[in-house]
Amino acid sequence: MKRRILLQAAPALIYAPGLALAQPAYPSKPIRYIVPVAAGGGSDLVGRTVTERWGKILNQPFVVDNQGGGGGVIACQATARAAPDGYTLMQGYVATHGTSPATRKLPYDPIKDFTPIGMIGATPNVLVVNSSVPARNVKELIDYLKKNTGKVSYGSAGPGSLTHLTAELFKQATDSFMVHIPYRGIAPALTDLMGGQTQVMFPGLAAALPYLKGDRMRALAVTGRKRHPLLKDVPTMEESGFKGFDAIQWYGVVGPAKMPEAVVKTLSASLTQVLAQPDMKTKLSTEAIELVQMSPEFFGTFMQIDIARWTKLAKERNIQLDS
């Protein structure tokens, strides 16, 4: 009798409306990891280094998908439109969730359209001058700029880039003037700085390091909150008298908005494990990155603050790009 009742009830149990079938544990398939730059650069190296180890912890491979262009706009749109199931993630960085929202009208909301997962790490920018500039510290550079108003120019990796906004922050903080010369990328900007076509620049530390060993440019200060271990003798901007002056190139992970809390927790906890591995610091040392662990909530707040600070500066300096 019991067997007959169970057999009769089985179809009803299987087809009962609203009865949820058990979902496989996350993750159960490969994870797409969008990197918003072309393959081969520093950001790409960060993404591939992290995901190689992340995949081993989660027992699922990460498939790196490079989508460069538009200051990260293309990658951000693809991520924001993806299903919020944890199988599409993006490596957000200072351009996608910092400087681009501050200087461009975007087809997405940099906060509401994304779920923060966590920070990976950050590296400072460094104030450098061509060797022909007589300044040996920030104070001497300011004196030099004020004695040579209109004669000094600074290069950047392009309009709206971190190198551009950091230099404008410096001009604002020091009440000085320099002519902006934008380039298409950091490499040609550094080439012209060393050649004397420009005199001042705020490149990322990783890009500047190989050239600081020569005699064609000189480091005066770093923009982080503390001295960088790779430039122990170079003071911070704050040590140089500019309290609160900070600008960093940071990297983190985001996903589409409205991801399940359980999935976010799994990703956050496993990312923390990746960053805790003993060799991670060494692997990312070529990009001068210091690892920074943040909870999803703290990382979300960090991005909001970064966007707000660069938006404020962009408005004050009248920096607004058409695209």
Side-chain angles (χ1 to χ4, degrees):
M1 179 65 71
K2 288 182 180 179
R3 185 169 179 269
R4 187 184 307 154
I5 292 172
L6 287 172
L7 288 173
Q8 290 175 341
L13 288 171
I14 294 172
Y15 298 107
L19 184 64
L21 298 177
Q23 296 295 317
Y26 174 85
S28 60
K29 62 181 181 179
I31 298 170
R32 179 190 184 197
Y33 189 82
I34 299 175
V35 177
V37 296
S43 186
D44 182 52
L45 170 66
V46 172
R48 292 178 187 274
T49 301
V50 170
T51 56
E52 178 187 0
R53 288 155 179 73
W54 209 352
K56 291 177 181 177
I57 289 174
L58 291 175
N59 294 316
Q60 287 293 341
F62 279 69
V63 180
V64 176
D65 180 5
N66 294 91
Q67 294 196 21
V73 171
I74 295 172
C76 283
Q77 284 185 293
T79 304
R81 293 169 179 168
D85 54 10
Y87 291 100
T88 298
L89 303 176
M90 187 187 84
Q91 185 165 284
Y93 72 119
V94 68
T96 60
H97 290 78
T99 57
S100 286
T103 58
R104 292 177 166 89
K105 291 183 179 179
L106 302 175
Y108 54 84
D109 188 301
I111 297 299
K112 294 180 181 179
D113 290 343
F114 298 89
T115 298
I117 304 299
M119 176 80 89
I120 294 172
T123 184
N125 282 36
V126 54
L127 171 58
V128 297
V129 296
N130 177 271
S131 57
S132 65
V133 176
R136 298 283 170 176
N137 54 54
V138 176
K139 183 181 182 303
E140 290 180 2
L141 176 60
I142 297 168
D143 292 340
Y144 180 77
L145 293 176
K146 293 189 175 180
K147 290 175 182 176
N148 294 274
T149 302
K151 298 179 182 179
V152 180
S153 60
Y154 76 89
S156 79
S161 65
L162 183 62
T163 51
H164 175 200
L165 295 187
T166 305
E168 288 298 314
L169 182 63
F170 178 80
K171 287 167 61 178
Q172 183 186 66
T174 60
D175 191 26
S176 60
F177 178 79
M178 294 183 288
V179 178
H180 177 210
I181 309 296
Y183 291 82
R184 291 188 175 182
I186 197 72
L190 281 168
T191 297
D192 273 10
L193 175 79
M194 291 184 291
Q197 283 77 22
T198 59
Q199 293 75 46
V200 182
M201 193 176 171
F202 273 93
L205 179 54
L209 272 175
Y211 306 104
L212 289 172
K213 297 175 183 178
D215 59 359
R216 289 189 290 176
M217 72 182 201
R218 183 185 314 118
L220 302 185
V222 294
T223 60
R225 296 293 177 90
K226 60 182 181 179
R227 294 195 184 197
H228 197 279
L230 296 177
L231 288 179
K232 293 179 180 178
D233 296 330
V234 179
T236 64
M237 284 295 297
E238 188 155 316
E239 286 179 292
S240 302
F242 297 92
K243 187 173 179 60
F245 190 108
D246 195 18
I248 57 171
Q249 173 83 19
W250 57 264
Y251 304 91
V253 183
V254 298
K258 300 179 181 179
M259 287 175 58
E261 184 178 347
V263 170
V264 174
K265 285 184 177 179
T266 296
L267 289 169
S268 175
S270 53
L271 178 59
T272 297
Q273 289 181 261
V274 172
L275 299 181
Q277 293 180 355
D279 69 334
M280 276 299 294
K281 184 175 181 179
T282 303
K283 288 289 184 180
L284 295 180
S285 63
T286 56
E287 293 304 307
I289 291 173
E290 290 195 85
L291 303 179
V292 181
Q293 296 181 19
M294 287 186 186
S295 67
E297 295 78 16
F298 197 91
F299 183 45
T301 300
F302 172 87
M303 288 190 290
Q304 291 182 48
I305 292 172
D306 214 41
I307 292 171
R309 69 190 295 261
W310 293 124
T311 298
K312 180 176 182 292
L313 177 73
K315 288 180 179 178
E316 291 170 349
R317 307 300 290 179
N318 195 27
I319 302 170
Q320 186 63 49
L321 309 180
D322 294 331
S323 60

